[in-house]
Amino acid sequence: MLSTILSYIVWNPDPVAFSLGSLEVRWYGLIYATGFLFAVWLIAKMFKSEGYPEEWADKVFIYLVIATIVGSRLGHVFFYDWDYYKDHLLEIFQVWKGGLASHGGAAAIIFTTWLMAKYMCHKSFFWLADRIYVICAPVAALIRVGNLMNSEIYGCETTLPWGFKFLRDYPGIPVENVPICHPTQIYESLAYLAMFLFMLWLYWKTDARKREGLLTGVGFLWTFLSRFIIEFIKNDQSEFEAGWVLNMGQILSIPFIIFGIWLIVRAYKRPVAS
């Protein structure tokens, strides 16, 4: 699956982890599920440490899973591939075939968080959003590992020694003729892992949890700024992006970056909650 040849890495794993009869269980799904299980454990620990009902964690888990899948799918359909799906509407529901966009997932999570804060926690939106962003960070890191196992969403050609040859997209072509590309899935995963560790430190070791919106602001700024930068070395996800100065992912990241900066400034201008 993984071997080093001179100055590049050959990458061609089977995206299917194992089969149960006719059912194929893919690495992407397993990794995705692992991320969410870790997230629900962590937010239960956070709620308990603050004296809030641990059963909130189960509801957060269920609603966020639904929001992430639905939002990510619709984001891909409408922002990246509507020309195809407008003529194949039933395939919108075939999530297992691939096609998820993180910006759509982020928008759905924001809306779902607002609903849960208002009707479940009876807290402000940013009180819950701050805690949810902490647990979403490791999930985002693991999702990019899932993308790596699918040999998808990788970057443009490179001469760096850690460049990958993604053989899956070049069936029947000799290894020496396959381009060496940036493993941008790894870059993003490491960025999100670093963000998670930093946000954990902010939550447990500082007064960040008492500054409503601060953790959310840090999360938005870190996530989408790193995404904006890494997109410069990514391949276009759709043909219509060819020739654009900024691709769709970067354009969609700009509002989130601005929003993150505003939240951080706002959090430090407001008094610390008791």
Side-chain angles (χ1 to χ4, degrees):
M1 180 173 69
L2 174 63
S3 61
T4 303
I5 303 177
L6 299 179
S7 59
Y8 58 81
I9 296 170
V10 176
W11 185 254
N12 192 29
D14 188 342
V16 178
F18 58 88
S19 298
L20 297 173
S22 60
L23 176 64
E24 292 184 340
V25 179
R26 293 176 170 262
W27 286 111
Y28 185 92
L30 285 176
I31 294 169
Y32 211 125
T34 299
F36 271 109
L37 289 174
F38 176 74
V40 72
W41 170 82
L42 179 57
I43 200 166
K45 185 176 179 66
M46 294 164 71
F47 285 153
K48 182 178 180 179
S49 72
E50 297 184 59
Y52 295 106
E54 291 183 64
E55 58 264 26
W56 284 0
D58 296 329
K59 295 179 180 179
V60 167
F61 171 72
I62 294 170
Y63 296 145
L64 285 188
V65 168
I66 295 173
T68 301
I69 294 174
V70 173
S72 297
R73 182 59 169 173
L74 293 181
H76 173 79
V77 168
F78 290 113
F79 289 122
Y80 290 100
D81 218 358
W82 178 241
D83 285 342
Y84 174 81
Y85 285 104
K86 69 181 180 182
D87 298 319
H88 304 83
L89 294 178
L90 292 179
E91 291 191 27
I92 293 175
F93 302 98
Q94 297 176 359
V95 180
W96 57 90
K97 289 188 174 181
L100 300 173
S102 58
H103 296 87
I109 288 172
I110 290 171
F111 179 66
T112 304
T113 299
W114 175 79
L115 290 175
M116 290 190 294
K118 183 176 179 64
Y119 296 106
M120 182 185 78
C121 301
H122 305 291
K123 295 278 189 178
S124 72
F125 167 79
F126 288 116
W127 181 90
L128 183 57
D130 286 344
R131 287 146 183 82
I132 284 179
Y133 217 119
V134 174
I135 69 168
C136 282
V139 178
L142 287 171
I143 286 174
R144 285 299 180 245
V145 175
N147 293 138
L148 180 66
M149 297 305 294
N150 280 345
S151 297
E152 61 189 1
I153 317 180
Y154 52 84
C156 58
E157 292 189 40
T158 181
T159 56
L160 293 172
W162 56 80
F164 276 48
K165 288 201 171 196
F166 293 95
L167 302 188
R168 186 180 175 196
D169 285 345
Y170 299 90
I173 296 178
V175 173
E176 58 269 19
N177 294 333
V178 175
I180 305 171
C181 298
H182 283 284
T184 49
Q185 313 97 321
I186 296 177
Y187 301 167
E188 285 193 68
S189 183
L190 291 175
Y192 301 152
L193 176 60
M195 175 181 69
F196 171 58
L197 296 175
F198 180 61
M199 294 180 76
L200 271 185
W201 176 78
L202 287 175
Y203 178 84
W204 292 108
K205 300 297 183 180
T206 75
D207 65 354
R209 72 167 77 176
K210 298 180 180 180
R211 295 184 180 275
E212 290 191 1
L214 176 59
L215 290 168
T216 306
V218 170
F220 274 121
L221 179 59
W222 194 309
T223 300
F224 292 99
L225 183 58
S226 61
R227 172 75 184 271
F228 184 90
I229 294 170
I230 294 172
E231 285 288 335
F232 281 112
I233 54 174
K234 268 190 184 179
N235 290 318
D236 293 332
Q237 292 191 48
S238 297
E239 293 182 3
F240 69 82
E241 296 175 296
W244 289 17
V245 176
L246 300 178
N247 64 26
M248 181 62 76
Q250 290 172 308
I251 293 171
L252 294 174
S253 293
I254 292 173
F256 289 105
I257 292 171
I258 296 172
F259 186 46
I261 294 172
W262 177 78
L263 284 176
I264 293 171
V265 173
R266 172 183 177 273
Y268 278 106
K269 282 187 174 181
R270 295 164 66 90
V272 177
S274 58

